[in-house]
Every structure is written in structure tokens, then in C-alpha cells.
Amino acid sequence: MSFSNLTLNKNLLRALTELGYDQPTPIQLGTIEPILKQQDIMARAQTGTGKTAAFALPILHRLAENECEGRPVRALVLTPTRELAQQVYKNFEGYAKYTELKSAIAYGGVSIKAQITALKQGADVLVATPGRLLDHLTNGTVTLDKLQFLVFDEADRMLDMGFMDEISRVLKCVPKQRQTLMFSATFDDDIHKLGKTLLNDPQLIEVDAINTAAEKVEQIIYAVDKDRKREMVSHMIGAKNWRQVLIFVRTKQGADALAKEMGKDGIKAVSIHGDKSQGAREKALEDFKQGTIRALVATDVASRGLDIRQLNYVINYELPYNAEDYIHRIGRTGRAGENGLAISLISPDENYLLEEVEKVLDERLVAQWMPGYEPDLTKDTSGGRPKSKAQHKKRNQKGSGRAGGSGGRRRR
Ligand code: AMP
């Protein structure tokens, strides 16, 4: 099926052709029609599946069919991070290129002035992070009384990041009569609860199995001692001459330290995390896209919204505490049909985290050894693995290193 079968505005179709979008992705096939029919939806889709266009196209279509004088904000997209806000905003701009519709963006960490100027000029669509949106609402630099569409993008992450209070305050400023669309990579109880309070008789759209991202991505797990991980990563990137590698770590300090150490190994790497200024984050991303740096070392939060076309390699330097983040991470590669490779380095104390990932994916992931980096089985194995995430964190905070070697093949 092609986009032209979806009866979208011809100016939108023109932009899609230019962007090289031939066919709708499964999530787009699932959501575009119901949104056009004014249905509230709750859609499960990971980043990388084309979910932005899945809501942007029908919204733009409906806005374009009914232009509004003075361009009040008629569609609001809330995102958990500024990177995702930028990505979504860019997509709206791209799709609406041949229409008269205007979009604006509002996120924190940068001066509010330019945002106020843009809003004053009128914007049909506003893409915003909740905190900065509330600043604008409080200052009266934006009003939402003409809102028709409210979109929650990556709703699961919004909850994880503690945005519930902000969301409640935003809801007081939007009309009750509206269409609400919620996108989330996962549907757990909290998301269902939130959906019930926000949505009106929503259509549930789950075109993707939870592990769709994983299907296009080859996953390799290497068992390796913690203190040899950095050496192994630099070796892999150097020996295989990988040019663009996204590396995930758990902490901001860890990201900084790894990028620095890799630099000493001759691999140009930069860290990206929440403590970096917006300018630094944008520059890092741009340098990465341009290929002036080979490795981007990111925390989970910072990685949201990174859309790098044809990213082939993702390395999990450490597994995330939240198994669902694994799906988000590996979804950074294999985007929109591309193939990707996701490599995870597992030290013995992370075996329980791998088990959590396996549960979420409903798939067994067998660890292997890389020649020259086999785990040292003679090392202390008395530590045992931590029984809980809290214990694991505590152990790491103490800096106690590895917690016991179970060997390359994991026991189950
Ligand atoms: P998203 O899940 O919205 O982050 O989209 C992931 C990537 O897929 C982005 O680079 C989009 O531009 C691209 N994309 C979205 N829809 C399509 C499509 N129908 N055909 C080709 N590429 C697409």
C-alpha cells in the first residue's frame, strides 16, 4: 500500500515523496486512518518505527483542511526530552513544507525569548517539553484554548522521568473537547491508568510486537570482565573500522570517563547526557552525524530522540537497570528497515539484568566470548550476584567492581 491510498493532503504527499517515503510503516498504517476519523488512540510503538509520522501526518492533514486565522496552537505534542522535541519538530516542518502550516518548539535549557517570538508569529503545531510549556502558559506567552490535538510522545518515558505533576497542570489549560493520542514503547499498568484518565474511548493500536525493533537488529552478547570492557570496545571499533557507534552507559560520569579514555585509545568519542548544555549536546550530535567523531557515549535519557539515519552499531557498555530501555537503545539502530548490530558487554554482575531483558524480549540471549577478552574465571567469584537492583546500585556506588564470575555461558 502506498501513501496515496491514505487520502492525505497532496502537499503532504509531495513532501513525503521528496523525503523518499514510499510506503507507510506498520504503525503508520495502524494509526493514520483512525486519527483522520477523529478517534483517540493509544499506540504502542518504539522509536525508529516511523511513529512521528504516524501522528504528524493525519494531524497536519486535518489542520491543513481547516486553516485557522491567527494561527493559534491547535496541536500540542508533549515529549519527555528536548532532543525528541527537536526531532519531532523537524519532522513536522519537513512534512508541512508545502503547506501554509507553521510549527513552533519550546524546551528548557535555552533562552525563552526566541520561543516567545516564534509563538507570537503564530503556530498551528507546538512541540514542547512539559516544564518549558508550563513557563509559557504561566507567562501567558501561549494559550491552548483552541487546542484540537494533544499528543503524548513516549508517554512511558514521561512517567519514568516524573512528569506527572507537570502533565496534570498542562491538562488544566487544554479544552476537554479534543482528540488525544498517546504513543508509548511499552504498555504497563501505569500507562494504562494514565490512558484511562486522558483518553476518550481510545482505540488500542499494537501493530508491533514488543520486540519489533529487535527483529531487524542482530544482537550479540559478550561476556567480559568489567575492567576490560573499555579496551574491548576500543579494540572492536578500531579493528572493524566502525565509523559511527552509539555507546550506552548508565551514568553521566561514566559517559564522560569512557569518552575520555577512548580518546586516549585513539577513538574520537564525545559524551552526551543531561548535564551537558543544549549547545554541547547539539554539537556532539552534529559532529557524530557528520562523522567527525566516531563514538557517541550516551546515557538513556540523553539518547531519547536521537534519530540518526543508517546508524549501524549500538554498544551497550552496561545493561540498563530498566530492561525496557534495552529495547529503546537497540532501536537506535535498524531504523526504518535498516539492518543494525547491537552488541552488549556483560560483566558477571550484570547477568540478572540480562535475564530481565530476556523476559521483556521473550527471547533467550546467549552470551559468547570474544577471543582475547574471555572473562577471567580465576578471579574472585565469592561476591555472588546482587539480588536486587538496589543492591546492585549500592555495590556500584561503593565502587566495588565486579561481583563474581559465572563464565561466558550464562546459567539459567
Ligand atoms: P521515528 O520512529 O518517527 O523516529 O522514525 C524513524 C525514522 O524513519 C525517521 O528517520 C523517519 O524519517 C523515517 N521514516 C518514518 N516513516 C517512514 C516511511 N514511511 N518510509 C521511510 N522512512 C520513514
Side-chain angles (χ1 to χ4, degrees):
M1 147 115 59
S2 88
F3 276 106
S4 47
N5 298 97
L6 287 171
T7 60
L8 287 170
N9 180 294
K10 64 176 183 343
N11 292 321
L12 295 176
L13 292 176
R14 189 175 159 199
L16 295 184
T17 308
E18 227 175 74
L19 287 166
Y21 289 17
D22 297 327
Q23 291 180 340
T25 64
I27 185 69
Q28 291 161 4
L29 278 176
T31 61
I32 291 177
E33 289 285 2
I35 298 174
L36 289 174
K37 288 186 183 143
Q38 310 194 15
Q39 173 78 50
D40 275 11
I41 62 160
M42 194 166 164
R44 181 164 75 176
Q46 285 115 34
T47 293
T49 54
K51 72 175 165 56
T52 314
F55 59 81
L57 295 175
I59 289 178
L60 287 167
H61 172 91
R62 297 229 345 251
L63 295 178
E65 297 295 287
N66 208 347
E67 290 275 355
C68 192
E69 212 178 312
R71 302 206 178 281
V73 174
R74 288 185 289 155
L76 170 66
V77 183
L78 286 176
T79 70
T81 65
R82 7 182 196 193
E83 280 80 8
L84 183 61
Q86 284 176 325
Q87 196 58 52
V88 171
Y89 167 73
K90 269 192 211 151
N91 284 354
F92 266 96
E93 288 276 279
Y95 304 143
K97 188 172 162 192
Y98 296 111
T99 72
E100 298 292 312
L101 298 168
K102 299 266 172 296
S103 303
I105 183 165
Y107 53 80
V110 292
S111 156
I112 199 166
K113 275 192 193 147
Q115 296 172 4
I116 294 175
T117 310
L119 285 166
K120 265 193 193 146
Q121 285 164 4
D124 305 274
V125 178
L126 174 61
V127 183
T129 52
R132 179 52 67 91
L133 173 65
L134 282 172
D135 294 340
H136 283 288
L137 287 167
T138 313
N139 298 339
T141 43
V142 72
T143 51
L144 299 174
D145 46 338
K146 296 278 188 300
L147 200 79
Q148 295 170 20
F149 298 95
L150 176 58
V151 184
F152 292 88
D153 196 4
E154 298 196 351
D156 51 343
R157 180 45 56 128
M158 280 200 207
L159 292 187
D160 282 357
M161 289 171 71
F163 278 130
M164 206 45 232
D165 278 357
E166 280 93 342
I167 291 173
S168 306
R169 286 172 59 202
V170 170
L171 286 173
K172 292 197 180 113
C173 305
V174 300
K176 284 207 167 56
Q177 192 70 22
R178 57 164 199 265
Q179 189 174 353
T180 309
L181 317 172
M182 192 155 132
F183 285 76
S184 179
T186 51
F187 274 2
D188 60 15
D189 287 352
D190 289 340
I191 287 291
H192 276 290
K193 247 187 252 162
L194 183 67
K196 268 196 186 141
T197 60
L198 295 177
L199 304 165
N200 180 16
D201 190 20
Q203 183 170 333
L204 229 60
I205 297 171
E206 294 185 79
V207 286
D208 297 332
I210 187 121
N211 58 353
T212 309
E215 278 165 14
K216 287 186 216 119
V217 179
E218 186 188 353
Q219 299 172 75
I220 296 181
I221 314 290
Y222 284 119
V224 57
D225 287 332
K226 188 174 268 176
D227 54 9
R228 298 206 66 203
K229 281 186 177 182
R230 194 218 75 242
E231 196 190 326
M232 183 170 162
V233 166
S234 293
H235 167 78
M236 270 193 296
I237 295 175
K240 298 185 197 268
N241 201 19
W242 290 342
R243 309 310 305 176
Q244 259 191 343
V245 187
L246 183 57
I247 303 176
F248 284 101
V249 296
R250 289 193 208 110
T251 65
K252 299 166 188 171
Q253 297 89 330
D256 288 339
L258 180 60
K260 203 166 155 197
E261 289 300 310
M262 286 179 69
K264 290 185 198 157
D265 293 338
I267 309 279
K268 252 186 142 186
V270 172
S271 58
I272 183 164
H273 54 67
D275 281 356
K276 296 246 167 172
S277 72
Q278 185 59 18
R281 287 155 83 166
E282 278 167 25
K283 178 159 186 341
L285 194 54
E286 203 41 47
D287 287 349
F288 186 58
K289 284 184 176 174
Q290 298 302 326
T292 28
I293 53 172
R294 276 170 91 175
L296 197 59
V297 186
T299 55
D300 287 296
V301 167
S303 82
R304 287 285 169 145
L306 296 186
D307 177 28
I308 302 150
R309 280 255 182 147
Q310 292 168 334
L311 178 63
N312 293 321
Y313 308 106
V314 164
I315 296 180
N316 291 311
Y317 190 79
E318 294 159 324
L319 279 187
Y321 289 125
N322 178 359
E324 270 132 18
D325 281 340
Y326 178 88
I327 297 175
H328 287 297
R329 288 177 174 192
I330 71 168
R332 303 279 127 208
T333 176
R335 292 170 81 65
E338 300 288 333
N339 288 324
L341 176 63
I343 293 179
S344 301
L345 308 187
I346 316 286
S347 50
D349 59 325
E350 290 175 294
N351 282 339
Y352 78 104
L353 294 173
L354 187 57
E355 282 168 21
E356 299 282 326
V357 169
E358 287 176 325
K359 273 188 225 153
V360 172
L361 289 177
D362 193 23
E363 181 184 340
R364 176 130 192 243
L365 299 169
V366 179
Q368 48 184 294
W369 293 348
M370 178 179 271
Y373 295 91
E374 297 87 348
D376 181 354
L377 303 180
T378 62
K379 277 191 182 173
D380 171 34
T381 55
S382 62
R385 72 170 214 201
K387 294 205 169 31
S388 66
K389 293 179 190 182
Q391 206 180 334
H392 184 102
K393 277 186 184 162
K394 206 167 151 198
R395 185 190 290 260
N396 279 352
Q397 275 158 10
K398 280 189 199 152
S400 73
R402 70 195 284 282
S406 62
R409 305 269 156 193
R410 286 174 322 97
R411 289 166 304 181
R412 285 171 62 87

